[in-house]
Amino acid sequence: MSKGDERNLDHCLKCSTCHTQCPVVANYLAFPGPKQLGPELERLRLARGGKAPFEIDEALNYCTNCKRCDIACPHGVKPSYYNIKNKAKLKGKSLNKFRDWILAHNVWWGKIGSQIPSLTNFGLKFPLTRLSMGLVGVANRHFPKYEKKKVIISKEKKEKKALYYAGCYASYNEPQIIQAAVNILEACGYQVELAPAACCGTPMVSNGLLEEAGKLAEKNTDIFLKYIQQGFKIITTCSSCGLALKEEYAHMLPGEKSNRLRKNIWDLFEILDEEGILPFSSSQKIAKAYYHVPCHLKAQGIGVPAANLLKAIAIKELIIEDSYCCGISGTYGFKKEKYALSMAIGGPLFQDIKESQVPLVITDCGTCKLQIEHGTGVTVNHPAVILENYLKKTQ
Amino acid sequence: MTNKVQVVVIGGGATGTGILRDLALRGIDSLLVEQNDLATGTSGRFHGLLHSGARYVVKDLHSAEECIQENIILKEIAPDCIEDTGGMFIATKNDDLSYVNQWLEGCEKAGINTGEVSAQELLKEEPALTPDIVKAYYVPDAAVDGFTLAAANVLSANKAGAQVKTYTKVVGFKLEQNKVRGVYLQNKRTGKEELVGCDYVINAGGAWAGQIAALAGQNINISPDKGVLVIFNHRITNRVLNHLRPPGDGDIFVPHGSVTVFGTTSRLTSSPDDNEATRGEVLELLAEGSNLVPDLKEMRLIRAFAGVRPIYQPEGGEVGREATRDFTLIDHSRFTGLQGMVSVVGGKLTTFRLMAKVAVDMVAGRLGIDKPCITHLEKIYAPVPRNGAKPGEYLCQCEMVTKKMLDQAVLEKEQFSLSDVRRLTRLGMGPCQGTFCTFRAAGYYHESRGLKVKAANKLLKDHIEERWKGSKAVLWGQQAQEAQLTRGIYLGLLNLERLDSDRHDV
């Protein structure tokens, strides 16, 4: 952890702006909130030599790591940094720890599950599976379907090179996002390769497995840097993966390497925006849709490049909304004791979507999609999947 | 209420309260008077270091020996008041290494355990330190809370039957045939005067001891020596940090609860009430401290303050850092023939219990009481313990002060200020310096104690002004921004300047 990170507690003026932006505080009054759990308690934790956690630290388990507090702070304090660090020190109930460990390793289950998707998907619905999941503290809700699909990539060598990092959700649950991203990048003149990297580590970070996430970050960083040296740009389509590579890795591995990495990470639509390339033609626009800004996209501080493109090219009336957290926060909403809270946090978003009577919701984040479909019954799609339909046919 | 006691103790610092406790535990009927609140003089205005004695081993071996003995006793009897952080002495490449050998010899003579630690190993534990460490040793220093210590002494003395009057000033002595017969007191809040008869007076007025003695026509030469200290927002090191060199300015860092206290300076001053730090003094300190903690100037300062060391100067003695840190018991009968009064001067907080013992031994002897001192055998306790609480119960979040603690802090007080509460609870001592807890506390007491609006407003206004005083010398960077937020809340939202009105009182 870098000195700068550790010391940013000195910048907190206690103004409580972060507190007003925390979706958990708004729905669960017993939650102490980012100001108290973050910079405030950190001073007192230091006073204990940082060793034994406070009783009140147990509340850290309720932090969704949405990072809305980080953006809210007018002084650049990152409460989520302290939350993550201290969550990793909690002991907690062993059964919940086991459950969290399972959820944190979604990459393994994804790898296995997507081998024979039909069997996995059947297994996930099987009453006995549901029962045993319930026993270890997994919420009784729909799991994402596992899917396997071969991605078609052009072998043609080009000057512009993109290493596309799909992330777990697209890889194991919705491979059409990968194909869409590859097609869009190729249409923009890129030679595309798929990143041979594993999970970005976000689920581990959120579940307090900081050490393991750190090792993974180190391994991934080395892989990415090798490609960067060869002139590749690293492209993501998952908001959380993008944020992890840009921000989380810098906290976990402060130094030259992560700095070099973060300068070469791009969201797919961020780079289209940057390069001004529009390989799309806008015929037959969709009449109306709703764009939900994922918290981790907001935290990247790049605006809403996908929504801007959608509005220009594919959708006549696009409602762009960044006020709400959907409440799923990766694995959070899959936990039995947090399920109701997760749905309560998402409540205002679900209501807004229902009231706007849209047939389609668009969002960049895989788990936001699961939550919104679960909460509204409205179809949700990734912007790449939508925009792929508007690629110029001449290409 | 009785207006005659056997002994009146003057001064509510560590020494005075220690004396009161010692008297009480020997069954001597006593009263302590203090012109302000407990520990508002030097006992509340120092670095909070419980010396191991290692700082004094080269120049003042006797003092060092007393320190280590008391250090061991106090850690045993006052765990509520002491955090046994341990301490370290480090010498950097710019320091004179021949001093290190002298120092080691001194520590050995005084019986202070030192453990050498390699620079590399120490930096792993204390990453804020300079990489230029040449020699480093652990010593048994600790952090002590002067406010809690004085209050814990009083709590113990109260249980044994002693009385305390705070905000009560000694305005004169009743002398008969060159013997002290009583003390004239004035309540600073009500202005009411009274006479309390006594057989003996122990003057433990610290930096004010000379002024007090003068009321009885006695002369004590106290040279008030001002020391400036600053408070950083968080812990910089986990152990007390000392510069291994002849004692000088800016060479002690004490991790104190959630903050770090850093100091000190040493300058002669004209008045014991000179307790304001200037910006220039703070900047000098920071320059000096950067030799040990390179990033010091970038760290957030929340406050600066000064205390006045009560250095006793017998005719022709040394002043400032050259003066002895030993204490002296002055039996006035030996100099002027005045019976019934002794003064305890000099010394330091670490040796307060020993000073009390020596003073009470003499006075008890004169009163014909032969009970021995037992202050080293019984524990003392903080009157307001810190316990865990649920979220939402904290009224001051910076320092985790609960409503229950606020109740306990004013339990037997008819009148109080938020500063009195602060000294017992740490209310308002964190980075926001009372910005968010002052209005909450004033509101809470308005409700729970039925304070009139005007009285609650006064609590609020006085506290904000008091906090502001200590911020003035460090108004740059984050603390300047904090002060602007404070200004916005109190002058803008709450219109503090017009808060005097009591028209809403029912």
Side-chain angles (χ1 to χ4, degrees):
Chain A
M1 303 284 178
S2 79
K3 272 185 182 174
D5 286 333
E6 288 295 355
R7 210 176 300 140
N8 84 33
L9 63 91
D10 275 356
H11 295 279
C12 174
L13 300 187
K14 317 263 162 179
C15 70
S16 305
T17 309
C18 59
H19 199 78
T20 67
Q21 296 301 307
C22 174
V24 181
V25 167
N27 289 282
Y28 181 43
L29 272 181
F31 185 63
K35 178 179 77 152
Q36 198 178 1
L37 288 173
E40 241 163 27
L41 274 172
E42 190 62 11
R43 294 174 61 246
L44 299 151
R45 291 187 193 106
L46 285 173
R48 288 187 167 192
K51 282 167 196 136
F54 287 99
E55 208 181 310
I56 189 174
D57 279 341
E58 286 296 324
L60 282 168
N61 281 321
Y62 280 86
C63 165
T64 64
N65 191 28
C66 71
K67 304 205 187 277
R68 285 181 167 251
C69 47
D70 292 5
I71 327 166
C73 179
H75 274 230
V77 180
K78 302 209 157 153
S80 82
Y81 162 80
Y82 300 106
N83 289 357
I84 287 167
K85 187 179 87 169
N86 293 302
K87 197 190 257 186
K89 292 181 186 165
L90 293 178
K91 291 217 169 64
K93 289 184 206 140
S94 53
L95 194 63
N96 278 356
K97 279 264 155 187
F98 174 63
R99 185 267 327 268
D100 292 354
W101 185 85
I102 291 181
L103 290 174
H105 291 86
N106 58 329
V107 55
W108 297 350
W109 321 127
K111 267 184 196 163
I112 301 164
S114 58
Q115 290 306 315
I116 313 171
S118 53
L119 187 65
T120 315
N121 295 333
F122 175 73
L124 280 172
K125 285 183 188 151
F126 196 59
L128 197 62
T129 322
R130 306 301 315 188
L131 183 69
S132 48
M133 279 182 166
L135 286 177
V136 297
V138 176
N140 187 14
R141 64 181 291 166
H142 289 298
F143 269 72
K145 277 188 180 171
Y146 286 94
E147 250 182 79
K148 195 179 176 184
K149 199 175 166 191
K150 194 160 167 48
V151 180
I152 303 157
I153 302 181
S154 155
K155 294 261 162 66
E156 201 183 330
K157 295 273 178 232
K158 287 185 182 159
E159 204 175 308
K160 282 165 63 175
K161 296 183 179 73
L163 183 76
Y164 173 59
Y165 178 59
C168 295
Y169 177 79
S171 297
Y172 308 122
N173 303 106
E174 209 179 329
Q176 29 306 26
I177 297 174
I178 304 183
Q179 189 64 63
V182 169
N183 292 350
I184 292 172
L185 280 167
E186 286 180 349
C188 293
Y190 276 96
Q191 169 193 330
V192 184
E193 282 191 34
L194 294 184
C199 171
C200 69
T202 300
M204 293 171 196
V205 168
S206 307
N207 284 292
L209 305 173
L210 202 53
E211 206 175 312
E212 196 181 345
K215 282 181 192 153
L216 194 61
E218 208 167 352
K219 212 169 116 189
N220 287 345
T221 303
D222 286 340
I223 295 172
F224 288 130
L225 287 181
K226 225 186 279 169
Y227 279 91
I228 288 167
Q229 212 160 8
Q230 295 166 36
F232 279 84
K233 283 177 173 161
I234 317 293
I235 311 291
T236 63
T237 47
C238 167
S239 311
S240 298
C241 294
L243 183 67
L245 302 184
K246 286 174 177 175
E247 297 290 333
E248 267 348 327
Y249 282 22
H251 295 315
M252 289 192 278
L253 319 161
E256 173 49 26
K257 276 187 177 181
S258 59
N259 261 339
R260 206 144 36 99
L261 176 66
R262 74 196 299 183
K263 283 181 195 148
N264 288 285
I265 303 291
W266 302 82
D267 182 84
L268 173 64
F269 302 103
E270 183 188 12
I271 196 134
L272 298 195
D273 196 36
E274 175 82 9
E275 296 186 349
I277 306 173
L278 292 175
F280 308 104
S281 62
S282 65
S283 55
Q284 287 194 330
K285 282 190 177 184
I286 296 166
K288 193 178 178 186
Y290 188 105
Y291 181 80
H292 164 67
V293 182
C295 296
H296 285 179
L297 180 71
K298 200 173 168 179
Q300 287 186 35
I302 56 170
V304 284
N308 293 340
L309 272 180
L310 287 164
K311 207 168 181 177
I313 289 151
I315 294 153
K316 272 193 204 131
E317 190 192 335
L318 182 67
I319 302 164
I320 303 175
E321 191 48 82
D322 75 346
S323 316
Y324 309 111
C325 169
C326 75
I328 186 92
S329 281
T331 57
Y332 191 87
F334 286 97
K335 296 172 185 176
K336 209 175 184 176
E337 75 280 10
K338 298 186 181 89
Y339 173 71
L341 177 57
S342 156
M343 293 303 283
I345 292 171
L349 170 67
F350 306 152
Q351 198 184 338
D352 195 36
I353 290 172
K354 284 179 194 162
E355 280 172 6
S356 52
Q357 297 187 316
V358 285
L360 173 68
V361 176
I362 303 170
T363 192
D364 306 69
C365 168
T367 52
C368 289
K369 169 190 161 120
L370 298 174
Q371 177 88 337
I372 295 167
E373 285 184 337
H374 181 62
T376 63
V378 179
T379 307
V380 183
N381 261 321
H382 192 278
V385 174
I386 302 289
L387 280 163
E388 188 201 10
N389 299 323
Y390 293 84
L391 281 174
K392 285 177 187 158
K393 297 287 180 246
T394 50
Q395 302 269 331
Chain B
M1 186 173 215
T2 166
N3 51 7
K4 167 94 172 61
V5 292
Q6 281 177 287
V7 179
V8 169
V9 183
I10 305 170
T15 312
T17 56
I19 289 169
L20 185 74
R21 172 171 179 253
D22 199 330
L23 288 164
L25 292 182
R26 298 195 213 203
I28 301 171
D29 182 25
S30 328
L31 165 72
L32 181 144
V33 292
E34 158 59 46
Q35 61 173 339
N36 293 307
D37 190 20
L38 297 177
T40 44
T42 315
S43 298
R45 295 184 160 273
F46 75 126
H47 41 47
L49 168 58
L50 183 73
H51 280 283
S52 61
R55 184 171 171 85
Y56 300 116
V57 289
V58 175
K59 274 228 174 94
D60 209 343
L61 187 65
H62 181 246
S63 195
E65 286 167 344
E66 287 177 353
C67 280
I68 186 64
Q69 287 161 15
E70 287 303 306
N71 174 296
I72 293 166
I73 293 170
L74 292 180
K75 281 180 186 173
E76 191 61 41
I77 66 160
D80 278 8
C81 315
I82 291 167
E83 191 191 344
D84 196 357
T85 56
M88 55 196 164
F89 274 73
I90 64 172
T92 68
K93 61 181 186 192
N94 302 320
D95 293 317
D96 172 14
L97 287 184
S98 67
Y99 183 78
V100 176
N101 291 329
Q102 275 180 285
W103 181 81
L104 281 171
E105 268 172 41
C107 285
E108 180 148 7
K109 272 190 224 154
I112 300 165
N113 288 329
T114 53
E116 186 166 3
V117 52
S118 73
Q120 205 188 358
E121 204 177 314
L122 186 60
L123 280 167
K124 246 188 267 168
E125 300 227 346
E126 304 283 5
L129 296 181
T130 168
D132 295 337
I133 301 171
V134 181
K135 285 276 182 190
Y137 301 88
Y138 289 142
V139 295
D141 284 342
V144 57
D145 181 338
F147 303 124
T148 310
L149 182 71
N153 274 334
V154 164
L155 185 66
S156 164
N158 279 158
K159 278 187 186 151
Q163 309 165 51
V164 173
K165 287 176 192 271
T166 53
Y167 294 98
T168 301
K169 204 171 159 62
V170 174
V171 288
F173 291 97
K174 185 183 179 192
L175 305 177
E176 279 174 9
Q177 291 140 8
N178 217 15
K179 179 165 178 19
V180 177
R181 294 288 183 188
V183 184
Y184 292 101
L185 304 175
Q186 185 184 39
N187 183 314
K188 279 173 82 175
R189 283 168 168 156
T190 61
K192 236 175 93 180
E193 290 199 19
E194 63 173 324
L195 168 69
V196 175
C198 65
D199 300 326
Y200 239 96
V201 164
I202 303 178
N203 171 12
W208 291 263
Q211 294 178 358
I212 293 162
L215 294 174
Q218 306 295 302
N219 181 39
I220 305 176
N221 200 6
I222 301 278
S223 56
D225 184 66
K226 184 170 115 174
V228 170
L229 298 122
V230 293
I231 304 178
F232 287 94
N233 180 39
H234 69 270
R235 275 200 179 200
I236 299 170
T237 57
N238 285 316
R239 296 173 181 80
V240 176
L241 168 61
N242 300 270
H243 200 162
L244 180 40
R245 64 171 191 193
D249 287 356
D251 52 10
I252 300 176
F253 291 79
V254 183
H256 211 291
S258 49
V259 301
T260 300
V261 182
F262 165 56
T264 64
T265 58
S266 173
R267 305 277 182 280
L268 282 180
T269 175
S270 52
S271 160
D273 295 303
D274 178 12
N275 58 21
E276 223 165 315
T278 64
R279 186 167 183 270
E281 286 168 318
V282 170
L283 293 177
E284 276 172 44
L285 267 181
L286 293 181
E288 192 55 58
S290 302
N291 294 324
L292 297 184
V293 179
D295 296 338
L296 200 64
K297 286 178 188 164
E298 293 157 35
M299 294 177 183
R300 175 172 176 180
L301 281 167
I302 54 178
R303 206 171 169 78
F305 65 99
V308 175
R309 297 181 189 87
I311 290 176
Y312 174 54
Q313 195 187 4
E315 290 304 309
E318 299 281 2
V319 295
R321 291 219 190 269
E322 303 306 314
T324 176
R325 296 296 202 257
D326 253 352
F327 65 88
T328 308
L329 181 65
I330 301 168
D331 174 7
H332 294 280
S333 65
R334 284 180 51 204
F335 296 97
T336 60
L338 178 72
Q339 300 285 322
M341 180 164 177
V342 293
S343 294
V344 200
V345 290
K348 59 182 84 44
L349 185 129
T350 302
T351 56
F352 85 90
R353 194 205 62 88
L354 183 63
M355 291 158 76
K357 174 183 181 295
V358 172
V360 178
D361 279 349
M362 178 192 270
V363 171
R366 298 275 165 84
L367 294 173
I369 294 162
D370 63 351
K371 283 197 183 142
C373 172
I374 55 163
T375 52
H376 57 300
L377 301 175
E378 280 183 34
K379 281 194 176 164
I380 57 174
Y381 299 96
V384 183
R386 301 187 80 82
N387 294 319
K390 290 194 186 74
E393 288 174 9
Y394 294 108
L395 204 136
C396 161
Q397 289 180 336
C398 299
E399 293 293 332
M400 290 178 104
V401 181
T402 60
K403 290 175 183 172
K404 192 177 163 198
M405 289 166 74
L406 252 56
D407 291 339
Q408 287 168 328
V410 298
L411 210 53
E412 279 162 24
K413 289 189 173 122
E414 275 173 42
Q415 244 187 321
F416 56 87
S417 67
L418 290 185
S419 290
D420 298 345
V421 175
R422 186 187 73 244
R423 284 183 278 273
L424 292 174
T425 60
R426 295 192 63 78
L427 178 84
M429 285 192 176
C432 82
Q433 288 289 294
T435 302
F436 289 89
C437 60
T438 300
F439 62 80
R440 290 181 192 156
Y444 180 69
Y445 284 129
H446 171 62
E447 262 178 35
S448 66
R449 294 277 301 230
L451 288 187
K452 295 271 187 187
V453 171
K454 196 171 181 178
N457 285 347
K458 184 168 165 35
L459 283 187
L460 183 140
K461 203 168 174 176
D462 288 351
H463 199 234
I464 288 300
E465 271 169 16
E466 191 283 337
R467 293 284 85 187
W468 166 245
K469 185 184 160 198
S471 301
K472 272 192 291 192
V474 296
L475 281 186
W476 55 82
Q478 295 100 348
Q479 210 54 30
Q481 293 166 332
E482 187 76 63
Q484 283 306 108
L485 183 61
T486 312
R487 201 189 291 261
I489 290 174
Y490 286 90
L491 295 182
L493 277 176
L494 298 179
N495 204 0
L496 185 76
E497 281 174 309
R498 290 172 186 230
L499 263 187
D500 287 331
S501 161
D502 59 351
R503 67 196 159 94
H504 297 298
D505 264 347
V506 188

